[in-house]
Amino acid sequence: MVSDDELLAAWRAGDRRAGSTLFGRHYETVRRFFVNKVDTDLEDIIQRTFEACAQGQERFEGRSSFLAYLRGIARHLLLQHWESRRHRDRDVPVDELSLADLGAGASSVLARNRAEKRLLDALRQIRLKDQELLELYYWEGLSGPALAEVLAIPEDTVRSRLRRAKLALKKEYLRLERFAGVPESSDQDLEGWARSLRERLNVVEPAG
């Protein structure tokens, strides 16, 4: 298979088909990044991510992978999206707040059962930066060096943040279980449900 770097070089040389192939290859990854983090204008923000990439592709110097660069653009637009919509706590960085704090509506991801629905709700109750980290870890299979590349932070920092994010998610999930009056789940249950959600991330409920 032609590599991202080869497609990017061809695109820069004027091959529009190479650019279309490159974007098509990573469309679902970008969609998964946004699908549980925005509750309106999903297709619009996906489109703007690729437009920003197209407009700025000459600035990409190859210091990271193309996909990490694309995810960086998506992350910037996500923070911009919520920064423009929040009405309070403006002295707090937007990624230190949760989607619940920011007034997001219900997730559009179709859960298979109540346990998965609670998990989606729990993700949206923790800090946006922790939600992002966990979704990259569970849904994109990123860990260690790859997460450090995407988030532009040291790998040791990634590992410590990942531990804290898992604990925050577990705490919130167990709170929702207690509220629902159901037996507490194990760490293994949470890990399995989190990973299994990936298959339904691109199934979105119709608007309205």
Side-chain angles (χ1 to χ4, degrees):
M1 183 174 67
V2 180
S3 71
D4 284 356
D5 289 343
E6 290 171 319
L7 287 171
L8 179 61
W11 180 32
R12 284 174 165 173
D15 186 345
R16 293 187 177 181
R17 183 177 295 180
S20 295
T21 300
L22 190 60
F23 285 176
R25 177 178 293 178
H26 298 302
Y27 178 85
E28 296 299 345
T29 298
V30 172
R31 185 182 179 91
R32 281 193 299 270
F33 179 83
F34 285 119
V35 73
N36 194 41
K37 302 186 195 72
V38 297
D39 50 5
T40 59
D41 304 323
L42 175 62
E43 293 300 328
D44 176 69
I45 198 169
I46 294 170
Q47 181 66 29
R48 287 193 290 117
T49 299
F50 287 109
E51 287 174 354
C53 182
Q55 292 165 5
Q57 47 100 358
E58 292 297 337
R59 294 194 294 272
F60 175 58
E61 299 177 352
R63 295 178 183 175
S64 64
S65 68
F66 174 78
L67 184 53
Y69 171 68
L70 187 59
R71 283 182 173 128
I73 293 173
R75 186 173 190 272
H76 172 76
L77 289 177
L78 175 70
L79 298 180
Q80 189 179 73
H81 172 88
W82 284 112
E83 184 66 49
S84 68
R85 285 161 174 74
R86 66 167 163 175
H87 303 293
R88 60 187 181 87
D89 298 319
R90 291 194 172 273
D91 56 331
V92 180
V94 71
D95 63 351
E96 292 285 345
L97 301 172
S98 69
L99 290 181
D101 293 330
L102 292 164
S107 173
S108 61
V109 180
L110 295 175
R112 180 170 48 193
N113 52 48
R114 292 180 181 178
E116 288 186 349
K117 175 66 166 60
R118 279 193 292 272
L119 183 55
L120 288 167
D121 290 342
L123 279 165
R124 292 159 71 88
Q125 293 287 338
I126 63 176
R127 295 185 304 176
L128 185 56
K129 64 193 299 183
D130 291 337
Q131 179 185 354
E132 174 193 17
L133 178 62
L134 289 173
E135 290 179 0
L136 287 171
Y137 175 73
Y138 286 122
W139 297 346
E140 301 305 324
L142 302 188
S143 59
L147 285 169
E149 181 184 37
V150 171
L151 301 175
I153 58 177
E155 188 176 343
D156 287 346
T157 303
V158 164
R159 295 187 187 283
S160 61
R161 273 188 53 189
L162 187 57
R163 286 194 296 271
R164 291 195 297 270
K166 286 182 176 182
L167 288 173
L169 178 64
K170 180 180 179 181
K171 179 180 179 181
E172 187 58 37
Y173 186 88
L174 293 180
R175 183 187 70 81
L176 293 174
E177 281 193 325
R178 287 193 293 272
F179 182 78
V182 299
E184 288 190 357
S185 300
S186 68
D187 290 348
Q188 187 174 2
D189 290 331
L190 288 173
E191 291 270 339
W193 291 329
R195 295 185 191 282
S196 70
L197 273 168
R198 186 184 190 277
E199 67 193 60
R200 284 179 298 289
L201 293 181
N202 296 311
V203 180
V204 182
E205 294 174 347

